[in-house]
Amino acid sequence: PAPATTPAVAAAPAAETTPANVTVAPVVVAPKFTIEGMAFNDMNGNGTMDNNETGLADWTVNLEQPAGTIVTSANTTMDGKFVFSDLSAGEYVVSEVLKMGYKLVSPADGKFTENIADKNVTGLVFANQAMPVEAGNVTINPIEAGNVTINPIEAGNVTINPIEAGNVTINPIE
């Protein structure tokens, strides 16, 4: 009979040891921060979000370096909120892209400059007021047609020249 064989045993790797006179520095992970805020329709232009005022959805907010270079952008959510996450400590400028038909109420210079050192930044608020569309003097020239419908016109001074037509409907002018 053949002699019994002993299975081979792999040698365990040698454990790394730190010499007694050496201190190992712990791995330090730099903390990350957020900047949060919102944009809203300031209907009365007072710079404060009142109960009847709502956030502005799909507005672009930029996160910039102090020199004006855009680092990233975010779009506001349905309730007007935005957030920039995973930021390192440092100085940032937050600005919004104003949409046509609105004027900025606050902040007065259109931006926030934030220096993040040890905590998140919350509560940045862009107050924007929708501007009414104002018409000056509007003239509607003669129309010659069969069936004509003219929809409402909102204007200051309105002149409607003679209309020569078969069936004509003119809706109220406000």
Side-chain angles (χ1 to χ4, degrees):
T5 58
T6 306
V9 176
E16 292 185 27
T17 58
T18 303
N21 63 345
V22 174
T23 303
V24 176
V27 174
V28 177
V29 176
K32 297 295 182 176
F33 302 98
T34 61
I35 295 177
E36 301 177 24
M38 76 174 311
F40 77 97
N41 183 10
D42 189 5
M43 295 186 330
N44 61 7
N46 68 356
T48 302
M49 188 170 183
D50 300 314
N51 290 336
N52 64 331
E53 296 172 335
T54 58
L56 294 169
D58 202 31
W59 277 53
T60 301
V61 180
N62 292 325
L63 182 69
E64 306 171 15
Q65 296 173 333
T69 303
I70 296 175
V71 175
T72 189
S73 296
N75 285 342
T76 57
T77 57
M78 291 301 291
D79 57 0
K81 295 182 180 178
F82 65 87
V83 63
F84 296 104
S85 305
D86 204 29
L87 301 175
S88 300
E91 188 172 349
Y92 298 93
V93 175
V94 182
S95 65
E96 72 175 356
V97 177
L98 194 62
K99 287 193 176 187
M100 186 176 290
Y102 285 85
K103 75 172 185 176
L104 179 69
V105 175
S106 70
D109 63 353
K111 61 185 175 184
F112 294 97
T113 301
E114 299 295 333
N115 192 352
I116 299 176
D118 59 358
K119 62 182 179 178
N120 296 325
V121 173
T122 60
L124 302 184
V125 177
F126 290 97
N128 302 283
Q129 186 176 29
M131 299 304 301
V133 177
E134 297 180 15
N137 296 325
V138 176
T139 302
I140 300 175
N141 292 318
I143 299 172
E144 296 180 23
N147 296 323
V148 177
T149 301
I150 299 176
N151 292 319
I153 299 171
E154 296 181 20
N157 299 321
V158 177
T159 303
I160 300 178
N161 291 326
I163 298 173
E164 297 175 21
N167 297 322
V168 177
T169 303
I170 299 179
N171 292 324
I173 297 176
E174 298 175 13

